[in-house]
Structure formats: C-alpha cells, structure tokens
Amino acid sequence: MTYRNLTEQEISTLESQGCFCRNWHDCLVKEPFDPQFIRNVSFQGLVKIGSFYKTGNLQDALGLRQSSISDCTLGNNVCISNVSLLKSYDVEDDVTIRNVGTLEVDGPCTFGNGTSIEVLNEGGGRTIKIYDGLTAQIAYLLAVYRHRPAMIKQLNVLIDDYVQSCISSRGMIGKSASLINCQTLKNIKVGAYSSIEGANRLENGAIVSDEVNPVRIGNGVFAKNFIIQSGSTVDSSAILTDVFVGQAVKIGKQFSAENSAFFANCEGFHGEACSIFAGPYTVTHHKSTLLIAGLFSFYNAGSGTNQSNHMYKLGPNHQGILQRGSKTGSFSYLLWPCAIGPFSVVIGKHYANFDTTDLPFSYLNEEDGKSVLTPAMNLLTVGTQRDSQKWPSRDRRKGEHKLDLIHFDLFNPFTIGKVISAARILQDLYANASKENEYVQYQGVHIKRLLLKTCRKYYDIAIKIFVGDCMIDRLEELSNHSSFEDWKKTLLTQDEPESFEWVDICGLLAPASSIEKLVSLIEAQEITTVAGVTDHLRTIYDEYDANKWDWLSLLIEKIFSTSINDLSKDQFIQIVNDWKTNSTKLNKMVIQDAQKEFDQNARIGYGIDGDDAIREQDFDEVRGKVETNSFIKGINDAINVIEVKSSKVIEKLEQLN
C-alpha cells in the first residue's frame, strides 16, 4: 500500500474541519483521498490513512470523526467515530469503531498468549499456557500428563517459542470487524468479522475470528488475560479472568469463570467456574451451579450442581474427574477427590471419596448417607442414546479448521474397554460376596449384591453390539470377494497392536501406545513446533478407524480364543446373530424407557381445568403420542434395519465357498 504526504490544501481543509496534528508530515494518506471524510480528529505520531470510496448509504458512515488517533495504520473504508483514544493499532479494511472509550496497546504484549491458568487443581501443579491455537488435546497433555515432566517441559518450550512470535507493540483489528459502544479495550487483538458491542473492559487477549466463524462479544463483558476462539459468543455481562474459550463456545447470562478452559461447543450460563477443564460439550446453564477443580467432557451439569474442595489442610489441592458423557442431577454434591466413569449419572449428595472409572454407564445415588452405584443402568436409558446422537449434529464449528479432535462414537475401544473391565469386576465381586450382605463395597461406593449378575449381562450386551457393529461393516464387503478365505484375508491387520488399552484425550479416542509415542517424540525434541504436535495428534485422529479395527482383532481373540483370521463361517454368523439379538434387545429397552415419558405420571398437570378426557387431549396436543414421537420412531426403524441388514449379511456368508 503506497502512501503520500498531505498537500497544503488538504491540511488546510482538515484544520478547517476541526482536525489537529502537531506535525502533519507524520500523517500519510492513500489515493484516492478526500479530506471531507475526516472531521474533528486529533492525530499523534505516525498515522496512515486508507481511502474512502464506497457510495450510496454506506458513504455517510465512512470516515474519521470526533476521535483521537495515535500511531495507527487505517485500512480502506473504515468508520472511526467518537473514540477517545485509538493507539498503536493496524486497522484493516471495512472496520467500524464507534463510541469507544479507549482502544490501545500500551507496550509490547502477547495479547493473552502465554497466560498461565491453573486448571483442574486450584492448588496448582497442572498449569497450562494458553495460546490462540491451543487444542483440547494439547491442553489435556499439559494438565494430565504430569508424570512425564520432560514432555511437559519441552511442550512448554514449544509454546513459549510460539508466544514469542506473538509479541508486538501494535494491535490488529481484522477486516470487517465491528467495535461499538465499548468502554476500555486494552492490549487486545481482534480477528476479522468480529463483533464487539457494549463490552465493559477487555484486556490482554486475542479474539480469533473469520468470516465463516465470527466471534461476538456483547454487553457488559469483562475479560482479562484471555483467548477467544472462532465462532464463539461471550455476552450478557460475563466475567472471565485467565480463561481460554475454544471454538463455538457460548458464555453469557452473568456467568463468571477464572483459571478455566472451555473447549469446542461448551456452554456456560448464569453460574460459576473455578479452575475447571471443560472438555468439548461441557454444558452448565443454571444460576446456582458451581463447577470447581474438575475435568469434564460431554457433560451436563444439573441445577445447583456443586463440588466441594474445602475439606483440605494443605490448601485447595483436591480435584475431580467426570469422564465423557457424565451428568449430575439437580443439587448434586460431590466431595473431591472423586473419579467417575464414562456416561454415568450422579444424583444426590455424596460425602465419600470414590473411584468408579472402571464402571461406566452407571447410576450413582445417595441412599441413607451411602453412595450407592447401579452399574450399567445408563446403557438402557433414552437419554444416553439421545445424547450420543445429538452431539455431532450440535457441532457449531463451520469449515475445515476445527482445532479440537472429537470422536463421537458411543461404543468405541475406550468405553468398551471400560465395559470389559466392569464385567470382570462385577463377576469377581459376585464370586467373593457373602450372601448375608445386601451390599458389596467397591472403591468407596456400595453396590447391591443381587444386581451384580444382572448388570454384568447388560455390559455383555454392549460388548456384543460393538463387535457386531465393527464386523458388519466388513461383512457388507463380501460381494467383492470370490470366496470366504479370500475375504478373510482382507481382515488381517498390518501391525499387531502394541496395547489393549485406549485413552480418551479430551474427545480424541486413541490407543495408549499412540499417545505414548507422541509423548516420547516431544521428549526427544523430534517435534520442533507446537503446530507439529497438533499435526501429529491429527494423524492419530485420522487413524481412528484403522486402530479400532486392530483393537477389535485383539478383542475377538479374547472372546473366541483364536485370531480373527481363524474364525469359522459359523463363528462369523454367531457374531452377526449376537449383534442382531443384542442391538434389538437394547433398542427395545430404550423404547420402554422413552415410553415412561408418556405414562400417567407424565400427564400430571395437563388439562388442569377439565376432566380425564381433556387431560388426555391436552397432553397429546402438547407432547404428542408414543407412536408419532420422532425419536421412538427412529429407534423402531433402526430395529427394522438391524433385521434386514443381519439377514442379508448372513445370506452372503452362507453362499460363500
């Protein structure tokens, strides 16, 4: 962009229009230039001004008016009006800055990059440094893998290198951004197409935004030492201090948070958060909810949910883990430390410390002061099925640039690995339990002895469904092969899996061995940039299907005591029949659970001014009928698909030589 000095005539015109500059030689303009667009503006330092050339209704909004501008470069067609101080900024084309108190950079800064936040443990020790490319997976490694100090040290070095590249004495306002009716904006970097309207104070932060995923910051927001990623909204007097906001996050309605990280598609309204690691799809909507010192993902917090970190003697150093898909009921209470397995539901107040991470899909209730766990029961609920279906459709991130790596499968090697462990635990507890006891105890919880065998069978259902789901995909390829033996050769894996263990790296499902390799590469300094770490994690993400199949091969060997390539035709048919039977059984149990939403208890409060007939009609008009409910119809359709698919696959198998 080529600039020139003002002419004497242009200077005279500007001064006649109330403009002031101690040295007009430091005020440069770009052709075409029309001084009529600039009125009552004070210039200080070196200021470069772009052109104003749009016509029509937009023309009246363009230009510089009633503002003080110091050491700035302004793009084309900007609107800067009633700004008390705009200092040290590069403002790109089509930007609007109107009615702003202060927008300045007061010296070299990182715009929030490199801010240290104490997640998961208020007492420290799990610090993560936030930056504008941070992912849930890198943050997880930093917070959780403290047993690998060499990796932590080197990963922080890579982040520090990136942060150094962010240091600048000049801020940036990206193309088509809009900053209106704000008070103090200091040391912030604003991405393209951002909308900041009515913010109270934003200090030391970066707003990453683009045309496809714009960021919106609304009325009364206070944020200090922050990163806000693309597609996110922060509004309604939210207060954020030392906070990372990932992609497509919604925060507002007076929500406050400090030393916390929120990753893709999280939602925080009304309540409070302190030192939490909110993995993807963590949702808290209620005014009386406090989330503190916990790790969550795919999590829903009920009204009044609270975790206590007060029973300490050496500081607030307790923490809690709720693995993916867990929920807490209204006014639930947990006394940290606790760890809860995937897709579990917590109801009531719990004063014991327990670890149920190897008992997924469980209900945890409080009964007479005891924490009572019912294993596997959340497998059978409509809520679990509905949640697993809704998350992919509620991914608000648009385009290809999705930072957090998320696998959505309900049944996967991580959760099924937990299910296998749970089945073994229940079997051992049953074998060793005294028939005189109503409950058995396991790692801080009580389990009713009479439920051990039944719940173990429910876990077996999940295992058989997972095996069948994976196998059906391969069996449907049978038409491409001339014989059974030829087809079986396609099942052979390239590499023998190194480990049966899988991990959930905050949404990324991966073999533990794959993460171990990444950690070792970081330790050995073979990955030299933080972007390189992100790329390696994406490779692991892309290998999910292949790694899942390798894991299934190991599982088949455990189930049948033979390799997958040595299975007989009858054994493959058994897998398909087990899949059909158990998938149908589970779906029917889910339908039974869903039908409770239409029973007589559900109708209480309907038709309040009429008789039973009016109540029925009122309910049907508001809630609909069982037979027309879209979710239940979808499950019934799935049952029919299972029947048809299994019959076709078995027919193909039986016809092969």
Side-chain angles (χ1 to χ4, degrees):
M1 190 178 286
T2 302
Y3 294 90
R4 64 169 176 80
N5 291 112
L6 292 163
T7 67
E8 291 297 328
Q9 180 60 48
E10 290 168 339
I11 292 172
S12 177
T13 300
L14 289 171
E15 289 180 338
S16 71
Q17 294 171 177
C19 296
F20 172 80
C21 183
R22 290 187 183 278
N23 185 355
W24 285 108
H25 288 289
D26 289 336
C27 189
L28 306 178
V29 297
K30 178 177 175 288
E31 291 288 2
F33 175 71
D34 184 348
Q36 295 301 320
F37 284 94
I38 304 174
R39 296 175 181 272
N40 300 311
V41 177
S42 173
F43 298 100
Q44 301 175 44
L46 180 62
V47 177
K48 299 179 180 179
I49 304 172
S51 298
F52 306 98
Y53 49 78
K54 286 184 178 177
T55 59
N57 293 334
L58 289 174
Q59 183 169 346
D60 292 337
L62 299 180
L64 316 178
R65 296 176 178 85
Q66 290 80 42
S67 299
S68 177
I69 301 174
S70 175
D71 292 307
C72 290
T73 298
L74 310 179
N76 298 326
N77 297 317
V78 300
C79 170
I80 299 175
S81 176
N82 296 314
V83 178
S84 297
L85 177 62
L86 173 60
K87 179 181 177 182
S88 300
Y89 267 93
D90 296 323
V91 179
E92 296 187 349
D93 295 348
D94 305 312
V95 166
T96 297
I97 307 173
R98 189 168 67 242
N99 301 331
V100 172
T102 299
L103 174 56
E104 70 168 329
V105 174
D106 65 358
C109 67
T110 62
F111 307 100
N113 290 282
T115 296
S116 294
I117 63 176
E118 300 287 358
V119 297
L120 183 54
N121 194 310
E122 287 182 279
R126 299 194 183 279
T127 303
I128 63 175
K129 292 181 180 179
I130 63 175
Y131 62 98
D132 57 21
L134 181 66
T135 71
Q137 285 68 49
I138 290 178
Y140 184 94
L141 292 177
L142 285 169
V144 176
Y145 275 55
R146 292 286 160 160
H147 57 288
R148 302 296 291 269
M151 185 275 292
I152 298 294
K153 179 180 179 180
Q154 181 58 20
L155 189 49
N156 276 319
V157 167
L158 300 183
I159 294 172
D160 288 341
D161 288 344
Y162 176 79
V163 171
Q164 285 295 312
S165 71
C166 299
I167 296 175
S168 177
S169 296
R170 295 182 70 82
M172 186 272 290
I173 309 296
K175 176 179 171 61
S176 297
S178 175
L179 294 77
I180 299 173
N181 299 332
C182 301
Q183 295 186 32
T184 301
L185 309 176
K186 186 175 181 180
N187 297 337
I188 66 168
K189 185 176 181 180
V190 181
Y193 297 91
S194 299
S195 172
I196 305 175
E197 186 165 355
N200 186 336
R201 185 180 183 92
L202 305 180
E203 184 174 350
N204 190 34
I207 299 164
V208 182
S209 178
D210 57 52
E211 186 173 9
V212 178
N213 296 281
V215 169
R216 187 175 75 84
I217 299 177
N219 288 332
V221 171
F222 175 96
K224 183 176 181 180
N225 305 330
F226 65 91
I227 301 289
I228 298 176
Q229 273 287 352
S230 59
S232 290
T233 298
V234 181
D235 61 11
S236 305
S237 300
I239 302 174
L240 308 179
T241 305
D242 301 329
V243 167
F244 177 86
V245 177
Q247 291 180 309
V249 172
K250 292 183 178 180
I251 292 178
K253 299 179 181 178
Q254 301 85 45
F255 188 79
S256 66
E258 62 176 293
N259 281 295
S260 296
F262 300 85
F263 292 96
N265 298 299
C266 285
E267 297 180 8
F269 300 128
H270 292 301
E272 301 176 61
C274 179
S275 292
I276 72 165
F277 190 122
Y281 294 93
T282 294
V283 174
T284 171
H285 279 186
H286 304 288
K287 188 173 293 186
S288 54
T289 296
L290 168 64
L291 301 181
I292 186 169
L295 171 65
F296 315 91
S297 64
F298 302 92
Y299 165 70
N300 195 308
S303 173
T305 290
N306 181 264
Q307 302 91 43
S308 175
N309 196 19
H310 296 163
M311 300 290 286
Y312 57 83
K313 297 179 181 179
L314 295 176
N317 53 17
H318 296 151
Q319 60 187 45
I321 309 293
L322 276 76
Q323 294 186 321
R324 70 158 53 200
S326 293
K327 296 181 179 180
T328 48
S330 295
F331 297 101
S332 69
Y333 171 86
L334 289 163
L335 177 64
W336 291 156
C338 283
I340 296 169
F343 294 96
S344 295
V345 177
V346 181
I347 300 171
K349 299 184 183 298
H350 300 268
Y351 300 96
N353 307 123
F354 47 77
D355 182 352
T356 67
T357 49
D358 284 329
L359 293 171
F361 299 101
S362 294
Y363 266 78
L364 191 62
N365 294 275
E366 181 267 325
E367 297 180 13
D368 299 324
K370 297 192 299 289
S371 294
V372 178
L373 184 132
T374 306
M377 293 307 295
N378 204 31
L379 270 170
L380 318 179
T381 66
V382 64
T384 299
Q385 290 277 349
R386 185 171 171 270
D387 285 345
S388 65
Q389 294 175 17
K390 76 183 182 184
W391 285 318
S393 64
R394 294 185 180 183
D395 190 345
R396 295 184 290 266
R397 300 173 297 171
K398 300 175 183 178
E400 298 297 322
H401 187 59
K402 297 178 181 179
L403 290 172
D404 295 343
L405 306 171
I406 304 173
H407 292 119
F408 294 102
D409 291 354
L410 176 63
F411 295 152
N412 55 70
F414 173 73
T415 55
I416 295 300
K418 296 283 187 184
V419 164
I420 293 168
S421 295
R424 184 179 64 251
I425 289 167
L426 297 189
Q427 182 175 335
D428 292 344
L429 288 173
Y430 183 80
N432 296 316
S434 169
K435 293 183 179 180
E436 304 298 321
N437 296 330
E438 181 181 2
Y439 293 96
V440 299
Q441 295 188 36
Y442 174 78
Q443 298 193 170
V445 297
H446 294 72
I447 306 172
K448 287 188 176 180
R449 180 181 59 82
L450 294 178
L451 290 177
L452 294 173
K453 287 183 69 175
T454 301
C455 294
R456 187 192 186 285
K457 291 178 182 178
Y458 292 148
Y459 281 134
D460 287 340
I461 290 174
I463 295 170
K464 290 175 180 177
I465 292 174
F466 171 75
V467 172
D469 282 338
C470 294
M471 195 63 71
I472 286 289
D473 292 339
R474 295 299 181 97
L475 289 169
E476 288 184 309
E477 301 172 1
L478 278 169
S479 59
N480 298 327
H481 303 278
S482 58
S483 72
F484 179 62
E485 293 301 323
D486 287 342
W487 172 75
K488 282 208 300 183
K489 291 177 183 177
T490 68
L491 303 181
L492 293 174
T493 58
Q494 298 297 318
D495 299 307
E496 184 70 17
E498 297 178 10
S499 171
F500 193 70
E501 181 183 0
W502 274 52
V503 291
D504 178 6
I505 308 296
C506 207
L508 169 67
L509 301 172
S513 57
S514 296
I515 302 302
E516 169 62 28
K517 287 179 181 176
L518 170 60
V519 169
S520 297
L521 288 172
I522 296 171
E523 289 175 336
Q525 301 182 29
E526 294 186 33
I527 300 178
T528 57
T529 64
V530 71
V533 178
T534 301
D535 291 342
H536 196 102
L537 284 162
R538 183 164 293 280
T539 298
I540 296 173
Y541 172 83
D542 292 337
E543 292 172 346
Y544 170 72
D545 287 332
N547 286 330
K548 181 173 71 170
W549 180 257
D550 290 346
W551 189 84
L552 177 71
S553 300
L554 288 180
L555 181 57
I556 291 290
E557 192 168 333
K558 289 177 179 288
I559 294 173
F560 292 96
S561 299
T562 186
S563 72
I564 193 169
N565 197 46
D566 292 330
L567 291 180
S568 67
K569 188 186 298 186
D570 288 342
Q571 287 172 314
F572 279 108
I573 291 174
Q574 176 188 336
I575 289 172
V576 177
N577 279 325
D578 285 345
W579 172 76
K580 178 182 72 172
T581 300
N582 287 281
S583 295
T584 301
K585 183 177 181 179
L586 179 61
N587 280 329
K588 287 182 176 180
M589 286 190 286
V590 169
I591 289 175
Q592 288 179 350
D593 186 59
Q595 287 173 338
K596 295 175 184 176
E597 294 293 306
F598 296 87
D599 65 15
Q600 290 304 309
N601 284 336
R603 297 168 189 264
I604 294 172
Y606 286 83
I608 58 174
D609 290 335
D611 56 15
D612 288 347
I614 289 176
R615 181 181 66 174
E616 297 300 309
Q617 183 178 356
D618 184 36
F619 183 90
D620 290 346
E621 291 294 327
V622 175
R623 296 283 304 279
K625 298 182 178 181
V626 172
E627 54 269 23
T628 59
N629 179 266
S630 60
F631 183 83
I632 294 175
K633 287 176 64 178
I635 297 179
N636 280 316
D637 291 343
I639 292 173
N640 295 330
V641 169
I642 289 166
E643 180 67 35
V644 172
K645 185 179 289 188
S646 60
S647 297
K648 287 183 178 179
V649 168
I650 290 174
E651 183 180 353
K652 288 180 182 180
L653 272 169
E654 290 175 336
Q655 291 176 353
L656 290 178
N657 296 325

